[in-house]
Structures are given as structure tokens and as C-alpha cells.
Amino acid sequence: MQQVLCATTDQMSLNYVLCTALLRCLCVIAAAFPLKHQQKDLRLVLAEADAVGVPLPVISAANEQYVRARAQGYGDADFSAVLEAVTPQEKEQSA
């Protein structure tokens, strides 16, 4: 009986995870971590690195994209919205 109960609980947990993932794909979900906060964190890391003379070119490039995304109005969206800001730029460069 305990094995059946555990299997049923595992299946229910799996169903919950799958349904939650599906809803996230189909619906607009509130920002888990706003883009504006991610950009702030990148800015703080860059400031600290600059203070000790450590170059961080990749983080600097990422920060530029987050700044662009904020300027386009994605600041309150989930930090993954940076892709929305980057995608048009990539299309223009390939054209």
C-alpha cells in the first residue's frame, strides 16, 4: 500500500510540475526576477570589478544588452525578456 501511495504521490507531483511548466509557456507569468534588478546587479558587479582593476568584458557586453532592454520598456518584465530586446538587433545585423 505504501508503494502505491508513493507512486501516486510521485505521479501527482510530476503532473503538477508538468502543468505548471505548460501554464508558464502558455500564459504571461509575472516576473520571477525583474530585468531592472538583474541589470542593477550587473552594474554593481562591474563597478566593483572596475574598482579593483579587473576587466569583465563579457559581463560588460551583457550589461549593455540589459540597458538596451530597459530602454525599450522591459524593466519590469522577467530578466529573460532581454532576448526580446536582442532579437531585433540580430535580425538587423543579418539582413
Side-chain angles (χ1 to χ4, degrees), residues 24-41:
R24 287 188 181 274
C25 291
L26 297 175
C27 302
V28 175
I29 303 294
F33 191 70
L35 186 140
K36 63 186 175 186
H37 296 315
Q38 179 67 37
Q39 193 273 318
K40 174 198 55 109
D41 291 349

Side-chain angles (χ1 to χ4, degrees), residues 30-80:
F33 191 70
L35 186 140
K36 63 186 175 186
H37 296 315
Q38 179 67 37
Q39 193 273 318
K40 174 198 55 109
D41 291 349
L42 291 171
R43 180 177 47 81
L44 293 173
V45 166
L46 288 169
E48 287 298 317
D50 188 50
V52 295
V54 176
L56 297 174
V58 174
I59 292 178
S60 181
N63 185 57
E64 289 176 20
Q65 298 307 316
Y66 279 89
V67 168
R68 176 177 287 136
R70 286 186 73 180
Q72 292 177 13
Y74 292 109
D76 290 322
D78 187 76
F79 73 98
S80 61

